[in-house]
Amino acid sequence: MTSRFCSIAGLAVVCVHALFAQGSTKDTATPVQHIRELKLPASINGNFDHLAVDVKRSRLFITAEDAKKVLILDLKSGAVAGSIPSPRPHDVLFRPDTDRLYVTDGGEGSLSIYDGESYKLIKRIGLEKDADAVGFDPSRKFMYIVNGGGDVGQKFSLLSIVDTVKAEKVQDLQINGDTLEAMSLDAYRPRIYVNDKATNEVVVLDRFRNVEVARWPLNACKTNVAMALDESRQRLFVGCLSGNVAVLDTNTGKQVTNLSIHAGVDDLIYEASTRRLYASADGSLDIYDQIDLDHYQNRGAQPTGAKARTAYLSTELNQLFVAVPKSETSGPHILVLQPTNTLPARSPLADLKEPVNAPVAEQIVLKELSAHQMLRRMGLHVIPPGQKTMILIANGNETRLGIHTSPGDFAAVKDGGIYGPRIDDGQFYNMKMSMFDAQHRNIGILVMEIPCTAAANEKEAAAQADSIRAEVASQIPDLQSLFATSSR
């Protein structure tokens, strides 16, 4: 980043502090607005588990686990448009890029894949019983599913990996603890964070090597079941049935603060663009606004309904859905809320992108991110052979591949040195440097983010970055080799 960007970033943090310190209308105004309630059939008894949305068709998917079906709700008419039978549906994920619906079932132990238009079954993949929470890696198109454990008489659980392109399970990772719950995935570094309720820890796995790399105990947060992630600031939110949210630094695993919420939390949602955290507990939606890296303002609680714990936020619709089970005083329904009085949402990135296929380069970057756990991000920019534009050809987040190198990146390396200012909003050093091959021929630009927890100052961060650059260079015989065919 250029010095101008750093100044703007620092100013943004100051402005956020000022906004919350004024004691203005924002401090007292309701953080969500009640829009409507969508009635569900009176025959639907028992709990709900997870929700998902198909924005294109305006459909809401509701896993009614006790009713043994996935309900499909038309958000325009408010009517139930259909249902999918399932012995005990738990988690549900809709992928608009492939128009596929994925449902885990804990009763039979499976992941079922359905067509997004007809809802016809495409394939059912066998898992252990108690198949539940899922995580999805948009880069490699892998799905991670917790299953097994106590329900099948085991003292360990499984984290199964499904290749959604091939629609087949590729590996089972065994994790100590008979009950796994929610998980979160870093997009830019190959990590998965999983709630191990049995041991009251967060398990950290390297999804490039598929190995466990750390366990973080939750000393002030008991019975961890929910999770959300603020990746850009490296803060992990862990919701516990003890009535609190532990906020962890994902660079170190240390707890930095503790947020009080109502008991019975089931879903945690962090919305990055507005910097707001929602905790859906038993009949209450607790809301916090993130003031800065480690400070959060309690915006109060929104009553939702008896035993209402399941929630889902659609950022595209700017609507938050809460599933309310049938009770003595009301029928089952979906409560629809709209977030209000938030910080202005950031506009989505609209970078120019070019086609790119540099599998060897991608493997090198993933290997380095795996070897250096402190790295937040890494990217390699080069001009592909036969082209004239420098682009990003390798990155932990493959969805960013092909973007044009920014003028700020070029300016940062023009003098040949290592440029790495400290970024306060996230507390990291944004390192940029010229990149070379093994023969020390200049081939482009290498960028990486080193957290302040790993380096005391910019000079120390630059030394670490230079060492990592040498490792990368030793793996590159020449520019052309980065584009050779490589199997994963």
Side-chain angles (χ1 to χ4, degrees):
M1 298 180 183
T2 64
S3 297
R4 174 176 172 80
F5 182 90
C6 294
S7 299
I8 293 174
L11 180 61
V13 175
V14 173
C15 291
V16 170
H17 273 291
L19 179 63
F20 285 96
Q22 289 172 356
S24 63
T25 305
K26 179 163 179 61
D27 291 337
T28 57
T30 177
V32 291
Q33 178 182 357
H34 181 280
I35 298 178
R36 58 177 176 161
E37 292 181 4
L38 304 175
K39 294 183 179 179
L40 299 176
S43 60
I44 302 298
N45 295 302
N47 295 324
F48 303 104
D49 203 359
H50 288 278
L51 307 171
V53 168
D54 174 358
V55 174
K56 178 182 176 181
R57 299 183 181 89
S58 295
R59 298 288 173 90
L60 177 70
F61 305 104
I62 311 156
T63 55
E65 55 181 345
D66 292 323
K68 304 182 185 303
K69 62 182 69 177
V70 179
L71 298 174
I72 304 167
L73 193 64
D74 187 319
L75 293 175
K76 292 182 178 178
S77 67
V80 175
S83 65
I84 302 171
S86 185
R88 192 144 186 98
H90 280 305
D91 209 347
V92 57
L93 172 74
F94 178 75
R95 284 182 55 192
D97 59 328
T98 57
D99 203 19
R100 294 289 183 266
L101 180 70
Y102 299 82
V103 179
T104 58
D105 189 286
E108 65 179 12
S110 68
L111 171 69
S112 294
I113 306 173
Y114 299 93
D115 177 77
E117 176 67 35
S118 67
Y119 305 118
K120 290 183 178 180
L121 179 66
I122 296 174
K123 188 170 183 179
R124 181 169 286 119
I125 299 172
L127 304 168
E128 295 282 1
K129 286 188 176 182
D130 202 27
D132 196 342
V134 306
F136 181 66
D137 177 357
S139 291
R140 300 200 289 175
K141 314 302 182 189
F142 283 0
M143 184 175 290
Y144 299 83
I145 308 161
V146 301
N147 61 114
D151 277 12
V152 293
Q154 297 170 334
K155 293 183 179 181
F156 61 87
S157 299
L158 298 178
L159 184 68
S160 297
I161 306 173
V162 171
D163 184 333
T164 63
V165 175
K166 298 178 180 179
E168 62 183 35
K169 184 174 71 172
V170 295
Q171 191 172 350
D172 287 323
L173 306 181
Q174 185 173 309
I175 298 176
N176 180 46
D178 63 7
T179 307
L180 301 181
E181 294 286 348
M183 75 186 80
S184 293
L185 277 70
D186 261 318
Y188 285 90
R189 57 182 175 184
R191 283 193 183 179
I192 310 175
Y193 310 99
V194 185
N195 267 331
D196 192 334
K197 190 175 83 170
T199 63
N200 205 59
E201 296 173 308
V202 172
V203 182
V204 186
L205 298 112
D206 182 322
R207 68 175 187 271
F208 179 65
R209 292 180 290 143
N210 290 334
V211 296
E212 183 177 311
V213 293
R215 278 184 174 262
W216 297 335
L218 299 165
N219 299 321
C221 186
K222 304 300 181 183
T223 317
N224 49 318
V225 296
M227 185 178 285
L229 177 67
D230 173 9
E231 183 174 3
S232 65
R233 297 169 193 87
Q234 294 302 289
R235 291 297 179 260
L236 184 70
F237 306 99
V238 182
C240 295
L241 297 181
S242 54
N244 56 321
V245 175
V247 184
L248 308 181
D249 181 341
T250 60
N251 299 306
T252 63
K254 294 180 180 180
Q255 182 170 336
V256 296
T257 192
N258 185 67
L259 308 176
S260 178
I261 59 172
H262 284 77
V265 67
D266 192 59
D267 275 326
L268 273 185
I269 302 166
Y270 178 75
E271 210 292 284
S273 68
T274 60
R275 298 177 71 155
R276 177 170 284 180
L277 178 70
Y278 302 90
S280 184
D282 193 352
S284 179
L285 184 72
D286 292 271
I287 303 170
Y288 280 86
D289 280 335
Q290 185 185 56
I291 301 174
D292 59 27
L293 194 65
D294 293 326
H295 297 89
Y296 301 82
Q297 183 184 42
N298 189 339
R299 299 300 311 283
Q302 168 77 30
T304 52
K307 298 183 179 180
R309 296 186 292 265
T310 301
Y312 179 86
L313 175 67
S314 171
T315 54
E316 298 92 343
L317 300 175
N318 192 32
Q319 293 181 2
L320 195 152
F321 303 93
V322 182
V324 184
K326 185 178 181 179
S327 68
E328 293 181 357
T329 58
S330 68
H333 61 276
I334 301 296
L335 180 65
V336 186
L337 305 170
Q338 185 172 64
T340 58
N341 299 295
T342 62
L343 292 170
R346 295 195 308 267
S347 299
L349 297 172
D351 298 298
L352 293 173
K353 296 181 75 172
E354 305 290 341
V356 60
N357 182 28
V360 171
E362 185 65 18
Q363 290 294 295
I364 292 173
V365 166
L366 286 175
K367 179 181 176 181
E368 291 299 314
L369 286 167
S370 178
H372 300 279
Q373 291 288 311
M374 89 295 188
L375 278 177
R376 289 165 42 105
R377 301 186 184 191
M378 175 182 280
L380 177 59
H381 297 254
V382 307
I383 301 175
Q387 298 185 25
K388 298 181 179 180
T389 303
M390 184 173 288
I391 61 174
L392 179 67
I393 67 162
N395 186 261
N397 182 352
E398 293 184 30
T399 65
R400 300 285 292 153
L401 298 183
I403 65 168
H404 289 200
T405 304
S406 71
D409 289 339
F410 285 116
V413 303
K414 67 179 181 181
D415 63 358
I418 298 178
Y419 178 77
R422 175 189 170 110
I423 307 300
D424 287 330
D425 188 21
Q427 292 187 358
F428 64 93
Y429 296 97
N430 190 28
M431 313 305 299
K432 301 184 180 184
M433 64 215 80
S434 296
M435 189 60 214
F436 308 94
D437 64 13
Q439 304 302 315
H440 205 69
R441 293 171 293 206
N442 194 314
I443 61 170
I445 297 173
L446 184 67
V447 299
M448 66 183 78
E449 293 181 1
I450 296 178
C452 295
T453 53
N457 50 54
E458 185 176 337
K459 181 179 180 181
E460 188 174 316
Q464 292 183 29
D466 192 28
S467 176
I468 294 171
R469 174 172 62 175
E471 290 179 9
V472 175
S474 69
Q475 302 172 66
I476 307 174
D478 53 40
L479 176 64
Q480 187 71 45
S481 68
L482 295 172
F483 300 87
T485 302
S486 172
S487 60
R488 286 182 173 165

